[in-house]
Amino acid sequence: MPRRRDAESRPQTNFFLIGATLTTGLVIAIASWMLRDKDEWWSAMLTNIAVVALLLAPGEYLLARLRSSFARVKKAADQAQVTADFAKKTAEDAARSLEDVRQALIGRQRNEHESELDIYRDMTRFPSRETMLRGLLHATGSHVITSAGVRSPVWETSLHYRYLVDKPSVLEVRLETDDGEVISSHRWHDGTSAEDFYQELVLAVRHAGSDLGVGLNDPTESVQSLSEMLIEVTQLRSQDLLGHRYSLRLIIERIDGWYYTEEYVIPADDLHYTIDISRLDDVDWEEHLRLKGWRGAGTAIAFARRMYKTSELPTQSASGS
C-alpha cells in the first residue's frame, strides 16, 4: 500500500514543481522589467534567469510525461512478460501432466498384459492342477484355443496330449494319435500332485508303446511347449494392428513351426499366409509351397490332412490364400 500511494503522489509532485518554476520565472521576468531603467546589468541578469526558469518548466513537464510514459510502457512490458511466462509454465505443466497420464495409462495396459502372460507362465513355474485349469480356462475364454481343448505333441513321437476342460472344474488330458483317435484319457483330480499326475501320463505313453527310454518320456516338456505357445500367441494378438487376431484363434495345436486352428493351417514364420482347411485337398500344396521355398511344408500338409481328416470333408472351390 505505501508503494501505491508513492506512485499516485509522484505526478502531483511533478505538477507542483512545474507550477512553482513557472511562477518563479514570471516573478523574475517582472522584476527584470522593473529594473530595466535603473540597473541594466541586473535587469539583463534577471531576464536570463527568467528565460531559464520559463524554459525549464515545459522541459520538466515534457520530461515528466516521458518518464510517466516510459513507466507505463515498462509496466505493460513487465505484465506482458509475466503473462507470457505464466502461459508458458501453464502449457509446460499441462504437457507434463498429459504425458504423465499417458505413461500411467500405457503402464497400466502393460501391467494387465503381463498379468495375462503370468497366467500361462504359472503353468510351468507353479505346476499344479489349479494353474493348469486356470490357464486353459483363460485361453478358452479368450478364444486362443478351441473349446474342445488344445493339443501339444509328445516329443519325438506321433502321439499328442490334448488338454481340455470338460466342465468348469473338470480337467482332463487325453493321449491321441495324429488324427485325434483317443488312446487313453486321464482326469486330474483335486488333491493329486503334479508329480503323481504326470507320472500317470508317463505310464500312458509307455503303454501306448512310445516310451523312448530313460529320461525321454517327459510329459512336462509338452506342458512347457504348451505354455510357450500360449504366451507367444497372446503376445502376437496383443495389438490388433499386428493383424494376427483374425487368424491366430481357436488353435488346436502348434507343431514343428506350424499352427493348426479350427479354420487355417498357418506357418509360424509367415503368419499372414493362411491355408483354409477346406482347401487342403484342392491344391497340390506340397509342390505349391516347395516352389515358394518352404522345403518342409510337405510334412506339415500331410500331417494337416491326417489331423483334419480332410478326406471326410466335401471338396469346395478355392477361395485364395
Side-chain angles (χ1 to χ4, degrees):
M1 290 301 292
R3 290 183 180 179
R4 186 174 179 181
R5 283 198 295 270
D6 290 344
E8 292 175 349
S9 63
R10 195 173 295 129
Q12 298 175 0
T13 302
N14 290 335
F15 285 119
F16 175 77
L17 290 174
I18 292 169
T21 303
L22 285 172
T23 302
T24 301
L26 289 173
V27 170
I28 294 173
I30 293 171
S32 173
W33 181 77
M34 293 175 65
L35 292 173
R36 69 185 185 283
D37 296 327
K38 295 180 180 181
D39 192 333
E40 294 181 359
W41 188 87
W42 275 106
S43 176
M45 176 67 72
L46 292 175
T47 297
N48 291 333
I49 294 173
V51 170
V52 171
L54 292 173
L55 291 176
L56 182 63
E60 179 63 27
Y61 173 75
L62 291 175
L63 184 60
R65 293 296 301 269
L66 288 174
R67 286 173 179 168
S68 177
S69 297
F70 289 150
R72 287 197 299 271
V73 170
K74 185 177 184 301
K75 182 178 180 182
D78 290 343
Q79 290 177 343
Q81 184 62 44
V82 170
T83 302
D85 291 342
F86 179 76
K88 181 180 178 182
K89 184 177 184 302
T90 301
E92 291 175 349
D93 291 343
R96 282 198 298 269
S97 298
L98 188 61
E99 182 62 25
D100 290 341
V101 171
R102 178 181 294 111
Q103 292 303 320
L105 291 175
I106 293 174
R108 186 175 297 182
Q109 293 170 23
R110 287 173 176 165
N111 289 337
E112 290 173 353
H113 179 59
E114 286 299 317
S115 296
E116 183 177 18
L117 296 180
D118 282 340
I119 294 174
Y120 304 130
R121 294 182 181 124
D122 288 348
M123 292 167 62
T124 57
R125 292 189 301 190
F126 312 106
S128 67
R129 177 182 179 276
E130 287 70 26
T131 55
M132 176 67 76
L133 192 62
R134 183 174 178 231
L136 293 175
L137 284 172
H138 186 79
T140 304
S142 302
H143 304 292
V144 173
I145 64 175
T146 72
S147 59
V150 60
R151 298 204 322 183
S152 183
V154 179
W155 184 73
E156 289 297 316
T157 73
S158 61
L159 300 179
H160 312 260
Y161 293 119
R162 182 185 293 270
Y163 306 85
L164 63 104
V165 180
D166 188 26
K167 295 178 182 178
S169 60
V170 177
L171 173 58
E172 185 176 346
V173 179
R174 296 172 183 171
L175 188 63
E176 298 181 354
T177 59
D178 285 350
D179 62 2
E181 180 186 351
V182 179
I183 297 175
S184 60
S185 181
H186 310 271
R187 282 195 176 184
W188 194 339
H189 298 288
D190 190 18
T192 302
S193 67
E195 184 176 346
D196 289 342
F197 181 73
Y198 289 141
Q199 175 61 24
E200 186 176 336
L201 299 184
V202 168
L203 297 176
V205 172
R206 183 175 298 169
H207 294 329
S210 296
D211 192 334
L212 299 178
V214 177
L216 301 180
N217 186 356
D218 180 12
T220 64
E221 191 277 336
S222 298
V223 176
Q224 181 74 44
S225 297
L226 174 61
S227 171
E228 292 172 355
M229 186 268 285
L230 294 174
I231 291 171
E232 179 180 295
V233 171
T234 301
Q235 290 173 328
L236 290 170
R237 287 164 46 94
S238 63
Q239 293 181 326
D240 188 47
L241 296 181
L242 292 175
H244 304 311
R245 291 183 183 176
Y246 142 78
S247 56
L248 279 180
R249 60 188 303 274
L250 302 177
I251 297 170
I252 299 172
E253 187 168 14
R254 182 185 68 178
I255 182 171
D256 296 333
W258 290 75
Y259 286 98
Y260 302 87
T261 78
E262 284 192 348
E263 298 177 315
Y264 305 107
V265 177
I266 308 170
D269 57 355
D270 188 356
L271 295 172
H272 295 288
Y273 191 92
T274 59
I275 301 172
D276 197 302
I277 295 171
S278 64
R279 298 183 57 204
L280 282 173
D281 289 333
D282 289 352
V283 180
D284 185 355
W285 287 105
E286 291 88 339
E287 179 65 13
H288 179 71
L289 296 176
R290 185 186 67 80
L291 293 176
K292 288 181 174 290
W294 291 345
R295 301 294 178 183
T299 303
I301 295 300
F303 171 77
R305 287 178 176 142
R306 293 194 303 273
M307 178 180 180
Y308 295 112
K309 303 177 184 177
T310 56
S311 59
E312 299 177 7
L313 296 174
T315 302
Q316 300 180 15
S317 60
S319 58
S321 291

